[in-house]
């Protein structure tokens, strides 16, 4: 029954009952007698209490809907609001649930396209850095070597410094290219890529240990890339913001799939706003139907867990 008919029926019943009583045994004198006033007050109180009860019951579903709307997060899909209550409220809840389903589907599709375009752009930039800038610096390094052989003793030290700077720049270009497009992931697989990633971040006072369990279920190329990018982003956040000296990367099979854990002993992130890095990791997790959980302990570090289900949706 709709909220309108609930309130109307209650008010109509109260007015009909009051009219029947006034036409029957109940009378009102002038001046009003105390007993008559008591009957009118009690009747009015009963009518108001009934209206309040009907409104509270009828609006409870709207309050639940308001709570569901306030808690809705497209990056953290959760249970839908329960369809209950008067017809108007039930229809509104159904409309909201349908809209939320559509928004989540559209966001997942848009995020998939954006991340796919991002990976293609990373691949293009990495190839240009390696083929163009890397080859140019290699040629410069060879020319400096020939110059160093012919340079007088007074300039040989400066030419050597230029060689070292060029060699350092070439190494940095290669490192950036590897981070943009991890060739080891395509060539040797996810386990080797994660070990190489841990080795790469073991520098500047940070020690990264890795524990990659064998016997992992087969994963799609997209899933392996998401796992690698989440581990990469987690270690990047640790190196830049966590003030940690130890971190670890774990990849192991679990009962319902595969779990990636990136843990550090830094200062935690509870007091820090969620940045683009964590949001990007959540978007990547949604693309493969995975669940990302960030657990932070102030002063005791942060855990980033990516739980990949055993059966990955084929349409993703």
């Amino acid at each position: 029954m709709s909220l309108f008919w609930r309130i109307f029926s209650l008010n109509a019943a109260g007015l009909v009952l009051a009219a029947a009583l006034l036409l029957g045994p109940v009378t009102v004198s002038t001046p009003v007698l105390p007993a008559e006033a008591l009957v009118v007050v009690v009747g009015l109180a009963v009518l108001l209490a009934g209206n309040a009860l009907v409104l509270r019951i009828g609006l409870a579903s709207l309050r639940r809907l308001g709570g569901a709307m306030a808690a809705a997060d497209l990056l953290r899909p959760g249970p839908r609001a329960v369809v209950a209550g008067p017809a108007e409220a039930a229809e509104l809840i159904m409309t909201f649930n349908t809209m939320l389903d559509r928004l989540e589907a559209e966001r997942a599709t848009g995020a998939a396209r954006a991340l796919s375009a991002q990976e293609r752009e990373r691949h293009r930039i990495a190839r240009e850095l390696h083929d163009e800038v890397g080859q140019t610096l290699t040629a410069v390094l060879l020319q400096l070597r020939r110059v160093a052989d012919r340079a007088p003793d007074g300039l040989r030290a400066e030419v050597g410094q230029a060689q070292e700077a060029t060699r350092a720049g070439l190494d940095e270009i290669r490192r950036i290219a590897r981070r943009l497009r991890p060739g080891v992931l395509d060539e040797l697989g996810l386990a080797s890529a994660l070990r190489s990633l841990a080795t790469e971040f073991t520098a500047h006072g940070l020690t990264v240990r890795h524990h990659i369990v064998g016997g992992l279920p087969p994963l799609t190329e997209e899933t392996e890339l998401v796992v690698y990018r989440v581990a990469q982003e987690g270690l990047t956040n640790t190196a830049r913001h966590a003030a940690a000296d130890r971190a670890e990367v774990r990849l192991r099979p679990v009962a319902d799939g595969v779990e990636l854990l990136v843990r550090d002993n830094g200062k935690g992130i509870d007091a820090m706003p969620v940045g683009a890095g964590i949001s990007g990791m959540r978007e990547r997790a949604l693309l493969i139907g995975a669940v990302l959980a960030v657990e932070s302990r102030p002063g005791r570090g942060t855990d980033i867990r990516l739980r990949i289900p055993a059966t990955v949706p084929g349409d993703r």
Side-chain angles (χ1 to χ4, degrees):
M1 183 184 297
S2 68
L3 186 61
F4 169 79
W5 284 110
R6 291 187 184 190
I7 299 176
F8 178 79
S9 299
L10 178 62
N11 288 331
L15 293 174
V16 168
L17 179 61
L21 292 175
L22 289 175
L23 295 176
V26 177
T27 59
V28 179
S29 304
T30 304
V32 180
L33 299 177
E36 297 172 344
L38 179 62
V39 171
V40 172
V41 171
V42 170
L44 180 61
V46 170
L47 186 61
L48 292 176
N51 276 276
L53 180 62
V54 169
L55 286 173
R56 177 171 291 275
I57 295 175
L59 297 178
S61 55
L62 294 180
R63 287 196 298 271
R64 290 196 301 270
L65 176 60
M69 294 175 70
D73 187 350
L74 297 181
L75 292 179
R76 300 180 183 180
R80 298 293 181 255
V82 179
V83 180
E88 300 95 333
E91 184 178 358
L92 184 61
I93 294 174
M94 290 179 61
T95 303
F96 171 74
N97 289 343
T98 303
M99 180 192 68
L100 197 57
D101 291 338
R102 186 173 66 251
L103 288 176
E104 288 184 356
E106 291 177 354
R107 181 181 181 86
T109 302
R113 292 173 180 171
L115 291 176
S116 178
Q118 183 185 78
E119 289 298 332
R120 289 196 301 270
E121 186 66 11
R122 284 184 172 188
H123 184 67
R124 184 187 66 81
I125 295 174
R127 186 175 61 249
E128 291 185 357
L129 285 176
H130 183 273
D131 296 343
E132 302 296 334
V133 182
Q135 291 183 6
T136 301
L137 288 180
T138 301
V140 171
L141 191 60
L142 293 175
Q143 291 176 357
L144 287 174
R145 183 176 301 173
R146 288 195 295 269
V147 170
D149 295 337
R150 301 174 184 176
D153 295 339
L155 295 177
R156 190 163 298 173
E158 296 182 7
V159 174
Q161 293 177 358
Q163 282 182 292
E164 292 301 322
T166 304
R167 187 176 292 107
L170 182 59
D171 292 340
E172 182 68 14
I173 289 295
R174 290 172 176 170
R175 186 186 65 81
I176 294 174
R178 286 196 303 269
R179 295 195 63 186
L180 286 173
R181 186 63 184 179
V184 66
L185 180 62
D186 299 329
E187 298 169 2
L188 301 179
L190 180 61
S192 297
L194 291 179
R195 295 188 185 100
S196 175
L197 187 67
T199 303
E200 179 183 343
F201 276 89
T202 300
H204 307 293
L206 179 64
T207 301
V208 182
R209 300 183 181 276
H210 57 80
H211 184 67
I212 314 297
V213 178
L216 295 173
L219 302 174
T220 64
E221 292 183 3
E222 184 181 22
T223 301
E224 289 186 349
L225 182 59
V226 168
V227 172
Y228 181 86
R229 290 302 187 196
V230 170
Q232 185 182 50
E233 185 64 34
L235 290 177
T236 299
N237 289 340
T238 297
R240 291 180 178 176
H241 310 297
D245 59 2
R246 294 192 311 275
E248 63 176 320
V249 177
R250 292 175 176 262
L251 185 66
R252 62 189 180 98
V254 292
D256 55 348
V258 178
E259 182 184 76
L260 170 73
L261 171 65
V262 180
R263 171 177 292 169
D264 65 64
N265 66 340
K267 60 184 179 181
I269 60 174
D270 281 351
M272 299 172 59
V274 176
I278 294 179
S279 298
M281 287 190 284
R282 294 193 188 282
E283 289 185 352
R284 290 183 183 276
L286 289 177
L287 294 180
I288 59 173
V291 177
L292 182 79
V294 180
E295 303 171 3
S296 183
R297 305 173 301 278
R300 298 178 57 190
T302 302
D303 288 358
I304 298 176
R305 296 180 185 272
L306 180 69
R307 184 68 63 91
I308 302 102
T311 303
V312 179
D315 57 348
R316 296 192 182 187

